[in-house]
Amino acid sequence: MSKKSFPRIIQGGMGVGISSWKLARTVSMEGELGVISGTAVALTLARRIMEKVDEDDVNRALDAFPFPKMIERIRTKYAPSPDEKLNKDRFKAVSMPTIEYSKDLLELTVVACFVEVYMAKYGHDGVVGMNLLEKIQTPTLPSIYGALLANVDYILMGAGIPIRIPKVIDELSNHQNSSLPIKVLEDDGNETVYSKFSPVEFAEGEALPQLKRPRFLAIVSSAPLALHLSRSQYGSPDGFIVEMPIAGGHNAPPRGKLQLSELGEPIYGVRDEVDFKAIQDIGLPFYLAGGYGSHEQYIMATNLGASGIQVGTAFAFCEESGMEKSLKRRIIEAVKKGLGRVRTDPLASPTGFPFKVVEIEDTNGIHETAEKRQRICDLGYLREAYRKENGNIGYRCPSEPVDDYVKKGGKLEDTVGRRCLCNGLVSTMGLGQKRRNGTEEIPLVTAGDDLKYVLRFLKPGQLSYTAKDVLEILLGKNLNKAS
Ligand SMILES: Cc1cc2nc3c(=O)[nH]c(=O)nc-3n(C[C@H](O)[C@H](O)[C@H](O)COP(=O)(O)O)c2cc1C
């Protein structure tokens, strides 16, 4: 595929670690857009180094990073020494994100995004993107810079209004200082607190490599938002992904007052329907996402003027995805038996956005199991900054221990039904923390309402399928034959 053209299929960015570099690389090598998830990769890189997961690949990428002193520091801190028993009890802590990053975390964040993109792009010339969530604000600048250092082709961002990202990409791809306002609860909304990143300071005097400006695709759920972003003073996105509420992961809340079905799920109505004509009129390439996991859906999307589709769920359960293998298989087996319902949970995510969870035994997708988890907040990606009475800034998450949250000025009612997405999602990729009391964090799996259709990718008698199988079905052709 020419780099000038846009892809037909975007393999959606799925955090944490589901859109691994292995998945993105496979998709990219087939000529479509493979996307890595940039969410929480600082943490997962540290844990991979500690457990020597994919050691050779990780080392190859670390060795290619342009500022080697930082790699030395990361290795010294996280790599087990030769006589240290691997993962003897629990993972060492990694600093939690705050508005001003510690030097450690800043380096780890830049390097981790570099590693994911570098490996996804390794050994071929296909295009690769990185997905970030607008709601997780503090890692954004170092994450984008890390991806730029690895020559990323696309940045994709949703779960919020990513209005300033075009300007951030312009600045960072020229090694200029960049900043982003950070929302501070209890402040009056004036943008006074910024996350800042200076490439020159970061590089500590080392030579700065030439960077290219990647394209930016904003993930939106409505035409008015797409139009608003396209007219932004900070620059327009290069295109849009229009995501419907049946997509996996977080969903945009329904417009108007939240109404719940008998099963307690948000009800979407006519006001949530997307005006495709209005999107098309903006004149930028766009993709449809959420339930577009078949060739018929692909054709339907292109008939609506879309350049293609973004697909998540179908790729989340393929062999190359970063989901822990046995869990993936267990879910496919469950789906075969008609189990593994996907619930749109209005409360689970600390962000307050509806979040889809798979109801599968021994995971926090089962309400009773999740309620039994002892609350602990030690990863902190979804913590929000708030203004303390003394004027300082603190951090709180509605899924942290209830007393702590309330002591920090949070409302008791906001803690009800909240799940620790950080620990749950990291456990889903097989890197769950072991607790001092001998328990281990258990997974929390997200998928789109289309989960039941993953069966269409299975060949007879098989319980697994590849990313290429998905692409062949989506594109309606055998990828081994010339088209
Ligand atoms: C396991 C999983 C994790 C996801 N995580 C993210 C994420 O971190 N950021 C994001 O923008 N979208 C995320 N999504 C949404 C996908 O990128 C994609 O837009 C969506 O899955 C498309 O709908 P589908 O699931 O019906 O194919 C996730 C989806 C899944 C299934």
Side-chain angles (χ1 to χ4, degrees):
M1 186 181 63
S2 143
K3 287 202 176 159
K4 291 236 153 31
S5 67
F6 279 79
R8 298 165 292 181
I9 308 289
I10 302 177
Q11 160 256 309
M14 299 176 281
V16 174
I18 304 299
S19 293
S20 62
W21 59 261
K22 286 179 194 164
L23 174 57
R25 183 162 183 266
T26 310
V27 173
S28 174
M29 285 174 76
E30 293 298 339
E32 302 303 330
L33 177 56
V35 177
I36 61 101
S37 164
T39 302
V41 287
L43 173 83
T44 57
L45 174 66
R47 289 192 177 178
R48 277 177 163 159
I49 296 176
M50 289 179 228
E51 278 223 325
K52 298 194 175 194
V53 178
D54 295 330
E55 195 182 12
D56 292 346
D57 294 315
V58 170
N59 278 335
R60 180 183 307 126
L62 291 176
D63 290 343
F65 189 70
F67 313 127
K69 279 189 216 140
M70 298 181 194
I71 302 302
E72 248 176 74
R73 290 194 280 266
I74 287 174
R75 284 193 167 121
T76 308
K77 180 148 188 194
Y78 297 108
S81 59
D83 49 345
E84 204 176 335
K85 207 166 138 250
L86 280 187
N87 191 20
K88 10 183 220 302
D89 38 21
R90 44 204 311 273
F91 292 113
K92 274 183 218 162
V94 172
S95 319
M96 294 209 259
T98 50
I99 295 168
E100 269 186 50
Y101 270 30
S102 62
K103 189 172 164 58
D104 264 15
L105 186 60
L106 194 69
E107 291 181 355
L108 194 60
T109 305
V110 174
V111 169
C113 292
F114 174 89
V115 167
E116 288 291 326
V117 175
Y118 180 89
M119 285 315 302
K121 287 184 75 85
Y122 187 72
H124 63 96
D125 62 0
V127 286
V128 165
M130 177 174 75
N131 174 284
L132 294 172
L133 298 160
E134 204 275 336
K135 279 259 177 195
I136 304 185
Q137 296 187 303
T138 61
T140 301
L141 300 175
S143 298
I144 292 180
Y145 192 64
L148 289 171
L149 289 172
N151 198 23
V152 74
D153 303 283
Y154 286 79
I155 299 288
L156 304 90
M157 192 189 267
I161 303 180
I163 194 151
R164 293 181 185 240
I165 299 304
K167 180 164 180 272
V168 165
I169 297 175
D170 285 342
E171 289 164 347
L172 293 181
S173 55
N174 285 305
H175 299 291
Q176 289 166 358
N177 293 354
S178 193
S179 62
L180 268 181
I182 301 290
K183 184 173 160 203
V184 177
L185 301 171
E186 271 94 51
D187 274 3
D188 58 8
N190 289 331
E191 293 168 354
T192 52
V193 180
Y194 288 84
S195 154
K196 295 182 182 151
F197 185 81
S198 162
V200 174
E201 253 175 58
F202 177 77
E204 300 173 321
E206 302 271 345
L208 296 171
Q210 173 97 32
L211 302 178
K212 116 183 149 212
R213 189 202 192 278
R215 285 173 171 161
F216 173 55
L217 301 179
I219 305 170
V220 299
S221 61
S222 73
L225 176 56
L227 187 63
H228 176 59
L229 293 175
S230 72
R231 292 178 172 168
S232 157
Q233 57 174 305
Y234 303 106
S236 168
D238 299 287
F240 298 101
I241 293 158
V242 187
E243 202 180 64
M244 316 300 152
I246 67 166
H250 283 96
N251 303 134
R255 272 141 203 99
K257 194 169 176 296
L258 180 67
Q259 285 184 307
L260 299 179
S261 69
E262 274 176 17
L263 292 170
E265 295 175 302
I267 300 176
Y268 291 84
V270 275
R271 287 177 66 191
D272 301 297
E273 281 170 17
V274 176
D275 181 346
F276 297 111
K277 170 80 175 54
I279 301 257
Q280 204 178 357
D281 286 347
I282 298 173
L284 292 170
F286 68 95
Y287 293 80
L288 301 186
Y292 286 85
S294 70
H295 186 56
E296 293 69 30
Q297 297 288 88
Y298 168 72
I299 298 291
M300 204 172 97
T302 53
N303 286 342
L304 286 166
S307 300
I309 51 178
Q310 169 166 285
V311 176
T313 301
F315 287 112
F317 295 90
C318 77
E319 280 174 22
E320 294 89 343
S321 93
M323 190 179 297
E324 197 274 320
K325 266 198 168 70
S326 61
L327 177 62
K328 207 183 311 187
R329 196 179 174 102
R330 201 152 65 75
I331 294 175
I332 292 178
E333 279 170 350
V335 171
K336 272 197 121 171
K337 291 184 196 139
L339 304 170
R341 183 177 175 273
V342 175
R343 184 177 77 246
T344 307
D345 194 321
L347 299 176
S349 172
T351 64
F353 277 30
F355 185 71
K356 295 238 193 296
V357 295
V358 181
E359 293 179 332
I360 188 92
E361 288 305 309
D362 301 324
T363 72
N364 285 320
I366 303 285
H367 177 76
E368 293 71 24
T369 311
E371 285 293 304
K372 281 189 208 138
R373 175 183 179 270
Q374 194 184 354
R375 286 182 174 226
I376 176 166
C377 181
D378 58 345
L379 304 184
Y381 281 86
L382 293 174
R383 292 188 311 172
E384 285 184 297
Y386 72 98
R387 187 68 65 183
K388 293 183 181 176
E389 273 175 18
N390 64 9
N392 293 342
I393 286 179
Y395 299 89
R396 66 182 186 224
C397 175
S399 76
E400 74 180 309
V402 175
D403 288 351
D404 294 352
Y405 185 72
V406 172
K407 259 189 227 145
K408 295 177 188 173
K411 292 194 193 116
L412 181 64
E413 59 266 32
D414 289 344
T415 65
V416 176
R418 300 293 190 211
R419 307 292 175 230
C420 178
L421 261 50
C422 294
N423 274 294
L425 295 177
V426 171
S427 170
T428 299
M429 60 180 294
L431 292 173
Q433 181 62 290
K434 295 172 188 66
R435 298 292 172 204
R436 290 214 164 79
N437 64 7
T439 60
E440 189 168 334
E441 287 289 350
I442 62 169
L444 176 63
V445 183
T446 180
D449 290 354
D450 253 10
L451 176 60
K452 52 189 174 295
Y453 297 124
V454 295
L455 301 182
R456 67 162 71 104
F457 304 110
L458 295 175
K459 300 215 168 75
Q462 293 191 356
L463 277 176
S464 70
Y465 59 92
T466 65
K468 195 167 164 186
D469 293 334
V470 177
L471 287 173
E472 289 193 339
I473 291 211
L474 296 180
L475 293 168
K477 66 176 188 179
N478 183 337
L479 293 172
N480 291 325
K481 290 191 194 139
S483 53

